[in-house]
């Protein structure tokens, strides 16, 4: 029979695996953004975007890792093995915000890329509305 401690440790391992998956998604996002921007923008601006977005992603991943043990309902000590829809949308919002922050100290991107910061901002705002709503309706 599995003890409560072993069960919680197993759930924490599952959450760490989900963290690893999200870290991989973040890496793909960062690499894809850097490659896409470097083909149409000056390399130093693409590098600047990568550095700023990378720092923000590193912070996002650090906060996510540090708070894995807080994945429980309020008033209940048992860890939940899955991230709720609200948490998943919040993580997506953090990733999109990191991409937006990459443009912070750069000149306007060329051509159609000039729309990317505005699109990212709009998606971040929509996700901000959606994450709380999803968390409430899915408990």
């Amino acid at each position: 029979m599995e003890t409560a401690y072993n069960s919680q440790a197993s759930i924490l391992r599952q959450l760490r695996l989900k963290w690893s998956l999200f870290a991989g998604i973040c890496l793909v996002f960062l690499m894809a953004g850097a490659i896409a921007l470097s083909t149409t923008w000056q390399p130093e601006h693409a590098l600047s975007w990568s550095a700023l977005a990378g720092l923000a992603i590193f912070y996002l991943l650090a906060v996510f890792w540090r708070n894995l043990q807080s994945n429980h309902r309020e008033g209940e000590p048992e860890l939940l093995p899955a991230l709720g829809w609200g948490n998943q949308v919040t993580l997506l919002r953090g990733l999109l915000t990191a991409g937006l922050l990459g443009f912070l100290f750069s000149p306007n991107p060329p051509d159609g890329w000039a729309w990317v910061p505005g699109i990212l901002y709009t998606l971040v705002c929509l996700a901000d509305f959606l994450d709380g709503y999803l968390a409430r309706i899915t408990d």
Side-chain angles (χ1 to χ4, degrees), residues 5 8-24 61 64-69 71 79-83:
Y5 174 78
Q8 293 295 292
S10 174
I11 291 172
L12 189 56
R13 278 192 298 279
Q14 290 174 11
L15 291 171
R16 287 180 176 155
L17 183 62
K18 288 173 178 33
W19 180 90
S20 299
L21 176 65
F22 182 68
L61 290 172
F64 183 19
W65 180 267
R66 189 172 7 136
N67 289 295
L68 285 175
Q69 294 180 342
N71 191 45
L79 283 176
L80 298 171
L83 299 171

Side-chain angles (χ1 to χ4, degrees), residues 27 39 53-54 63 74 79 82 84 86 92 94:
L27 183 61
T39 61
V63 170
E74 190 173 335
L79 283 176
L92 174 63

